[in-house]
Every structure is written in structure tokens, then in C-alpha cells.
Amino acid sequence: MSFPTKRKIVIAIDGFSSCGKSTFAKEIAARIGYVFIDTGAMYRAVTLYGIEHGAIHDGTVDAAQLETLLLRIQISFSFNEQRGASDIYLNGVNVEERIRRIDVSEYVSRVSQIAAVRNRLVHMQQEMGKQKGIVMDGRDIGTVVFPDAELKIFMTADPHIRAERRYQELLGKGEKVSLEEIERNIRERDHADQTRAISPLVQAPDAVVLDNSHMTVAQQMDWVMERIDKLTETSC
Ligand code: DC
């Protein structure tokens, strides 16, 4: 007798920054037992390596030097039970927290515009998704990394609402910030993501749009689980 098994798929989540993509992707992966890959963390890890090895300093990014350094970079993920998600490792060292710091955030957008960096990371991401059963979030997952993904979600939310959420989050952490500054930064990043020459943020024609401006996480999960259930319907 054969038991019905769920078909494994690739779930690609793209969208604007501060839309809650990673939280959403992490929750999906936990519910259905998939691997979650935060591709932004990979661009951040390369940036960190560049900072630590002299290719990035004093406001400059030496693209040629970074390209050479790429050959020495190994990136891997390992599940962290406490966090309920995978931590990123750079050459065997856990850098999950380090890559979120301000120095990395300041340079990562420029590093992510370097063709050699994108080529290397896209290749690694494609290898990670070969066996399917993966939820990947980023900016170019449904368009470049997995153009054949079975489920593509394009996440968006009103910039003012995104700023308000981020503001509350930072206040909760005790950081002093102004709502206006956050909103300006979000709008600037939206513009940079959409207008960069290489792999800009665009909605794949076959992506479904999730505007979560007025949705709770629970409502977003109901929305996505319905779609996943249909796509993974049992096969024998
Ligand atoms: O999601 P994040 O803020 O951690 O992403 C960090 C940077 O990397 C951000 O500038 C966008 C860029 N990025 C990208 O160009 N392509 C991806 N697939 C993921 C992130």
C-alpha cells in the first residue's frame, strides 16, 4: 500500500523592504516543514566579508577586490531551534546577528548591485532549491532565481503603514527614531530596489500579490495556506 505524499514545491517571496517577508516566509516554512532561506542575509554576509577584508571602507566599495574575495567565501545555513529559523554561517562562523548591524546595512545595497556577487549568490540559491521543499525570500526570487517556482508571492504594503510598523518595532527595542525619517528611508529603498540596473525588484507576471497593509499575520497565513494546499494536493 502506498501512502499519499504531498508534492514538494518552491515558494518564492519577493517584495518591498519592511513588508514582513521574512516573518511570513519563516512561518510558512515552520508550518509545512520546508527550509527557509533569507537571501538578503546572503548579500549581507558578502558585505561583511568585504568590510572585514579591506574591500569596503570609508564609503567606498571596491567591486574588483570583492570579486576576487568571492572565491574565498563559503555560505551555509544551520537551523537554530531557539529562533525557529536557520542562522547564516560565513566560512563556518555564525554571523546571523553581526550582519544586521548598521555598518553592513549601509553598504549592502551597493554590494547587491555588483554583477559578480549576484551571479555567485543566485547560483548558490538555485543549488539550495534543487530538491524543492523551500521557501525563499528576496527581491528576484520569482523572476531570476526560480522563474519556474510553483508559487510566487509579491508582497507589498502602504509605505506609511510599513514605516509605522518599523517605528513601533524600533521603539520597542528602545531606539530613538523619527517616524518621518523611517518613512523617507523606506521610500528611498523602494525606489533604489525598483530602479537598479541589475535584477531590479519587479513583480513576476505569474506572481500573486499580497498587500498586507490591513492584514494580520494570521490572515496572511490563511491566505497562503489555502494556496499551498491546492498546489501540493496529494499524489500517490
Ligand atoms: O532583505 P534585506 O534588507 O536583508 O536585504 C539586504 C539587501 O540585499 C537589500 O539592499 C536588498 C538586497 N537583496 C537583493 O538585492 N536581492 C535579494 N534576493 C535579496 C536582497
Side-chain angles (χ1 to χ4, degrees):
M1 193 171 102
S2 71
F3 291 99
T5 51
K6 288 252 176 196
R7 185 167 84 102
K8 282 201 168 181
I9 61 169
V10 170
I11 303 174
I13 302 179
D14 291 303
F16 294 99
S17 61
S18 301
C19 269
K21 291 192 301 292
S22 293
T23 309
F24 183 57
K26 190 176 114 177
E27 181 64 26
I28 295 171
R31 285 251 192 130
I32 60 176
Y34 276 25
V35 173
F36 159 53
I37 301 291
D38 169 2
T39 61
M42 298 172 75
Y43 288 92
R44 287 173 180 272
V46 170
T47 306
L48 175 61
Y49 196 83
I51 291 171
E52 288 179 340
H53 293 81
I56 298 172
H57 56 85
D58 304 319
T60 58
V61 176
D62 185 332
Q65 195 183 344
L66 200 55
E67 193 171 337
T68 315
L69 290 177
L70 274 177
L71 300 169
R72 294 201 243 142
I73 297 178
Q74 292 290 334
I75 293 174
S76 56
F77 288 88
S78 177
F79 195 72
N80 177 335
E81 296 277 352
Q82 273 182 328
R83 227 168 52 81
S86 293
D87 285 349
I88 189 163
Y89 286 71
L90 173 60
N91 292 339
V93 177
N94 187 330
V95 290
E96 183 61 39
E97 283 193 19
R98 178 69 187 85
I99 57 163
R100 312 283 164 194
R101 290 201 205 141
I102 191 75
D103 56 341
V104 173
S105 298
E106 269 171 13
Y107 288 104
V108 64
S109 156
R110 277 153 74 188
V111 169
S112 69
Q113 291 176 31
I114 300 170
V117 172
R118 295 208 77 86
N119 290 340
R120 173 83 201 282
L121 294 188
V122 165
H123 178 73
M124 286 171 69
Q125 290 153 9
Q126 287 169 337
E127 287 295 312
M128 291 171 183
K130 260 191 178 164
Q131 311 297 319
K132 303 209 175 209
I134 195 161
V135 188
M136 201 173 264
D137 90 302
R139 305 292 190 286
D140 59 342
I141 312 306
T143 49
V144 177
V145 183
F146 295 119
D148 297 327
E150 289 83 355
L151 179 58
K152 297 182 188 178
I153 298 168
F154 190 83
M155 278 179 88
T156 181
D158 183 309
H160 185 69
I161 292 174
R162 281 187 275 149
E164 182 68 41
R165 288 178 187 156
R166 183 103 183 102
Y167 177 65
Q168 294 300 339
E169 188 186 320
L170 292 172
L171 276 191
K173 286 184 185 167
E175 289 189 37
K176 269 197 171 172
V177 282
S178 91
L179 179 60
E180 291 70 32
E181 198 179 323
I182 294 176
E183 185 165 343
R184 185 162 23 112
N185 178 263
I186 281 180
R187 288 183 188 275
E188 275 169 15
R189 282 202 284 162
D190 285 358
H191 182 74
D193 279 347
Q194 289 177 293
T195 55
R196 69 173 178 224
I198 171 167
S199 297
L201 171 65
V202 282
Q203 184 191 325
D206 51 348
V208 277
V209 176
L210 173 62
D211 181 337
N212 67 9
S213 302
H214 303 287
M215 286 172 89
T216 62
V217 173
Q219 287 170 331
Q220 294 173 56
M221 288 311 295
D222 289 346
W223 179 94
V224 76
M225 288 312 297
E226 197 181 310
R227 282 167 173 80
I228 293 172
D229 284 343
K230 276 199 192 119
L231 284 164
T232 58
E233 238 139 48
T234 52
S235 58
C236 288

